[in-house]
Amino acid sequence: MIQGSTELVAIVGSPIAQVKSPENFNRWFTDHQQNVVMLAIDLAQPALDDFLQTLRGWQNLRGCVVTVPYKQMLASRLDSVSERSAALRSVNVIRREPDGRLVGDIVDGEGFLNAARKHGFNPKNKQALVIGTGGVGSAIAYSLCQAGVSHLVISDISDERVEVLGELLRRTFPESVISTRPASLEHFDLVVNASPVGMGATSDDGPLPLPAALMETLSANTLVTDVVTSPAVTPFLAFARSLGCPIQTGPEMALAQLGNLGHFMGVTPLDI
Ligand code: NAD
């Protein structure tokens, strides 16, 4: 029951009906007797600046999760952002400070790593491949470098995106080797599909983000992961599983990120 004393957090995007954060957060708030509620806001783009001004004045609102299409648009409109948000020009969470200032961060990569650690993956000195260098892929690549991978390969159908991210990572993390275009997958400890390929697929033989011949070179001890949330087991993950690889799904990443988002807004511990 929402009461006058209930504190609020929100998730903003458009469309919004598909997001899972409200049910995940609200279940956690209820289970832990917290007088906090998450609202889902489907915001039309022309209202974005007015919305930000309203957030600054909204005194019983602690923060706001940000989803498509506002992650990049909001990064340049906040009062301050983390170093990684500034580098990636993207935010997926905002905290409202008591004085009304809005502070942003992007924790997709940290959420991904939390989930991977639960599979026993430790990024230090490992070799990883990230397919898809958009908002989520860039954040995962950044966090993998920050966590000490020795070699990161990035790939995308957009050469320009690969070039821009590669240049940023080489400049920021000179100790990691950054390369592109994998010829084989056999040496990777981790392979991530961070592209939307497989979203909405209904059968195991749906589209793959890499040619099947390249997929065949996967070794059975590589952790193969996907960010796509629906279906949970994408054709990419089904293929990897058929080769004996351990897999990590998009919903696992989303759930593992809850603590990062809630902690940043000040409404949950980091490890929930
Ligand atoms: P985006 O549009 O910013 O980036 C997608 C990137 O994938 C683009 O750079 C595009 O060129 C690339 N791409 C498309 N097809 C490709 C292919 N065949 N091979 C290589 N690269 C290809 O999108 P985004 O915001 O990064 O979201 C990506 C996916 O992540 C979406 O499916 C989204 O639903 C999902 N997502 C999951 C979580 C989670 O917690 N699991 C969180 C946020 C987003």
Side-chain angles (χ1 to χ4, degrees):
M1 174 74 81
I2 298 182
Q3 302 162 319
S5 60
T6 303
E7 290 200 284
L8 304 172
V9 286
I11 176 165
V12 66
S14 190
I16 206 71
Q18 77 290 351
V19 297
K20 300 285 183 287
S21 289
E23 59 205 71
N24 289 335
F25 270 108
N26 288 327
R27 187 177 305 115
W28 191 90
F29 294 143
T30 304
D31 290 350
H32 294 81
Q33 288 88 43
Q34 299 295 302
N35 191 12
V36 187
V37 158
M38 176 174 270
L39 306 173
I41 300 176
D42 187 341
L43 189 80
Q45 193 173 321
L48 197 58
D49 287 322
D50 288 343
F51 175 71
L52 277 187
Q53 203 44 28
T54 301
L55 288 188
R56 290 188 174 96
W58 197 334
Q59 300 190 95
N60 63 344
L61 183 130
R62 304 286 293 277
C64 186
V65 175
V66 180
T67 187
V68 178
Y70 298 127
K71 293 165 88 164
Q72 284 82 13
M73 281 180 241
L74 284 178
S76 58
R77 288 167 151 98
L78 302 180
D79 300 306
S80 67
V81 295
S82 65
E83 198 178 319
R84 62 185 164 213
S85 274
L88 297 167
R89 298 191 182 136
S90 186
V91 293
N92 76 334
V93 62
I94 298 170
R95 178 175 64 244
R96 181 190 180 280
E97 302 287 14
D99 63 4
R101 279 185 321 110
L102 302 178
V103 181
D105 195 5
I106 178 149
V107 297
D108 282 311
E110 297 307 297
F112 173 86
L113 277 182
N114 286 348
R117 285 196 180 97
K118 289 188 181 142
H119 285 274
F121 177 76
N122 173 3
K124 190 90 189 144
N125 295 325
K126 295 293 188 335
Q127 303 199 46
L129 166 65
V130 176
I131 309 152
T133 56
V136 173
S138 300
I140 292 173
Y142 194 94
S143 287
L144 283 169
C145 289
Q146 210 162 28
V149 292
S150 55
H151 187 186
L152 179 73
V153 182
I154 50 177
S155 90
D156 197 294
I157 47 173
S158 160
D159 290 340
E160 191 192 337
R161 284 191 173 196
V162 170
E163 207 173 296
V164 170
L165 180 63
E167 158 51 29
L168 166 71
L169 295 176
R170 282 184 202 102
R171 198 174 57 238
T172 316
F173 303 105
E175 61 289 353
S176 297
V177 176
I178 312 294
S179 63
T180 60
R181 293 200 179 84
S184 158
L185 305 184
E186 64 185 322
H187 298 301
F188 290 113
D189 303 289
L190 174 77
V191 173
V192 186
N193 174 41
S195 82
V197 176
M199 200 158 82
T202 50
S203 72
D204 285 1
D205 60 359
L208 297 170
L210 293 175
L214 191 54
M215 290 284 294
E216 297 280 4
T217 64
L218 268 171
S219 58
N221 51 9
T222 301
L223 176 61
V224 178
T225 69
D226 208 316
V227 304
V228 167
T229 48
S230 181
V233 178
T234 55
F236 176 69
L237 292 183
F239 196 115
R241 193 165 59 182
S242 76
L243 298 175
C245 302
I247 62 167
Q248 173 185 310
T249 67
E252 283 179 69
M253 168 182 162
L255 204 59
Q257 199 183 154
L258 227 57
N260 300 85
L261 295 167
H263 181 66
F264 188 78
M265 295 187 289
V267 293
T268 74
L270 186 56
D271 195 11
I272 63 174

